[in-house]
Amino acid sequence: MYRVTGRTRRGPGGARVQRAGAPGVAVGQSARRPVPPVVLALRRLPQPRLTGLGAGLFASAVMLTLGLLDRLLLDGSPVAYGLLFLPVSALTALWVRTADLVTAPIGVPIAFAVGVVPIAGGAGGFGGQAMAVVTALAVHAGWLYGGTLVAGLIASVRKVREMGRRQHPARASAGGPGAPGAPGVSSVVGDASAVGARGPAAGRTAPRRRPIA
């Protein structure tokens, strides 16, 4: 199977024919790399797009529910609460819309503080409960920083990818057929210059020789 790949320098209308699939021939669509199973599993998850306020309310409601379940089932285990906080932080950063990515690392610590109220174990009214929450936040600050770091990293990666997507159409339009140095422009200019160079030469006639007397 053969196909025409372009013009050669031997003639203005000559075409170079190469065998399809030969080494060095660019294929229209490159082979795709295999996708890891973890990425495939993440793609199967729902992909809602929450506003900044919606993402904060989602994280707070989920962490409050998990805190209540932790108190009822596990007697307020801080390790279980911290482990459950990490995936909630990741989902919050994944589901917030692109315009509100900066709110993900801000809303996640607030959700952690809201959910830690049931397992703080305070007594003696509002003041005692508030002191118990502050103490729990100070003792379990490692889980708080870890979840905030996860949300910040995911939000940063999403922001970088979004910036790359915005720059790609601009580069494609800048390298279009009408742009200088684009494929096809140099060959057309070269053919036109070659035709213009051969035109005057083809129109000249050989000088006539006068007969010798």
Side-chain angles (χ1 to χ4, degrees), residues 107-148:
V108 162
I110 299 175
F112 184 88
V114 171
V116 84
V117 173
I119 64 174
F126 178 78
Q129 187 70 30
M131 289 302 298
V133 171
V134 173
T135 304
L137 292 176
V139 172
H140 310 302
W143 296 110
L144 176 61
Y145 294 152
T148 306

Side-chain angles (χ1 to χ4, degrees), residues 15 18 32 35 54 78 95 104-105 111 115 129 149 153 156 165 179-180 190 195 202 208 212:
Q18 290 185 355
R32 298 180 179 179
V35 182
W95 288 353
Q129 187 70 30
L149 180 61
L153 288 177
S156 301
R165 290 174 183 174
V195 172
R208 296 182 180 179
I212 300 175

Side-chain angles (χ1 to χ4, degrees), residues 169-189:
R171 293 177 181 176
S173 60
V185 176
S186 59
S187 60
V188 173
V189 175

Side-chain angles (χ1 to χ4, degrees), residues 44-137:
R44 295 191 186 100
L45 294 175
Q47 295 292 332
R49 284 294 173 259
L50 304 174
T51 62
L53 180 59
L57 293 176
F58 162 77
S60 300
V62 172
M63 292 310 301
L64 182 59
T65 304
L66 293 177
L68 292 173
L69 293 176
D70 187 14
R71 181 177 180 180
L72 293 176
L73 301 178
L74 302 176
D75 198 15
S77 172
V79 177
Y81 180 80
L83 289 176
L84 293 173
F85 175 64
L86 299 180
V88 172
S89 302
L91 290 178
T92 303
L94 285 173
W95 288 353
V96 69
R97 63 182 184 178
T98 309
D100 298 329
L101 281 174
V102 70
T103 61
I106 300 174
V108 162
I110 299 175
F112 184 88
V114 171
V116 84
V117 173
I119 64 174
F126 178 78
Q129 187 70 30
M131 289 302 298
V133 171
V134 173
T135 304
L137 292 176

